[in-house]
Amino acid sequence: MKNTISIIAIIAIGAYIGNMLNIGLSHAVYWQSLEPIEFMQFFAIDFPLLLVPTALTLMPAWLGSLFVFLKSEKKSKSRKYWQIAFWGLTLTIVQTSIYHLPMNLDFMALKYDALTATNKLNGWIISHWIRIIIAILSGIYAVRALQNSK
């Protein structure tokens, strides 16, 4: 019972990583196969459907890691690792809010011409993989934190 929130946070981080991998390995590949204007039209339908699974995995991961970090013994290795996991997840939220979300809204509004949309999508995908790497590192540190809490 002692580690319940830690385990929930780790499972949620894993689910978030899985969701982000799904976006990167399937949705993004499909988006790139479309003509740029067709992509933006499709994205207007696809993007809202991706919000719920992202929120349902990221929020318990983020809140759980914050809770366990704050409740961990001061100056413990476990606390340090939970802190890294929490800040990594926070970084993905900041990256999404500042970079991805505004571009997503612009895609949905068909704001870009074909060449610009292609370039923006390619940058979006590169940045998305950076977000995945950060999430994976957060998961690794969360597991290490749980291992060090025993």
Side-chain angles (χ1 to χ4, degrees):
M1 194 68 172
K2 173 185 157 195
N3 292 319
T4 302
I5 295 177
S6 298
I7 292 167
I8 290 169
I10 290 169
I11 291 169
I13 293 169
Y16 174 62
I17 292 166
N19 182 54
M20 300 305 279
L21 283 169
N22 178 48
I23 292 169
L25 294 172
S26 63
H27 293 272
V29 172
Y30 178 68
W31 296 335
Q32 287 180 309
S33 76
L34 300 172
E35 292 298 321
I37 303 304
E38 183 184 10
F39 150 68
M40 290 189 291
Q41 292 169 336
F42 182 78
F43 191 83
I45 298 165
D46 209 23
F47 173 66
L49 299 174
L50 296 172
L51 286 176
V52 172
T54 301
L56 289 177
T57 56
L58 178 56
M59 284 304 105
W62 186 73
L63 292 172
S65 64
L66 173 62
F67 179 83
V68 181
F69 159 59
L70 293 174
K71 293 295 183 181
S72 294
E73 185 179 313
K74 304 274 189 232
K75 298 185 181 186
S76 68
K77 198 173 261 194
S78 179
R79 181 181 174 97
K80 176 184 172 186
Y81 290 156
W82 277 115
Q83 181 179 29
I84 293 168
F86 169 74
W87 284 114
L89 293 171
T90 300
L91 184 57
T92 70
I93 293 169
V94 169
Q95 179 181 356
T96 300
S97 301
I98 292 172
Y99 181 77
H100 288 93
L101 187 58
M103 194 178 307
N104 293 351
L105 297 174
D106 289 345
F107 285 147
M108 292 173 68
L110 302 172
K111 182 177 177 180
Y112 305 117
D113 60 59
L115 180 59
T116 304
T118 299
N119 291 334
K120 293 277 188 181
L121 177 58
N122 290 337
W124 188 101
I125 291 169
I126 291 167
S127 183
H128 180 73
W129 283 102
I130 293 168
R131 199 168 39 173
I132 291 170
I133 291 166
I134 295 168
I136 290 169
L137 291 172
S138 294
I140 290 168
Y141 276 98
V143 169
R144 290 182 72 191
L146 180 61
Q147 291 171 335
N148 278 278
S149 67
K150 296 178 180 183

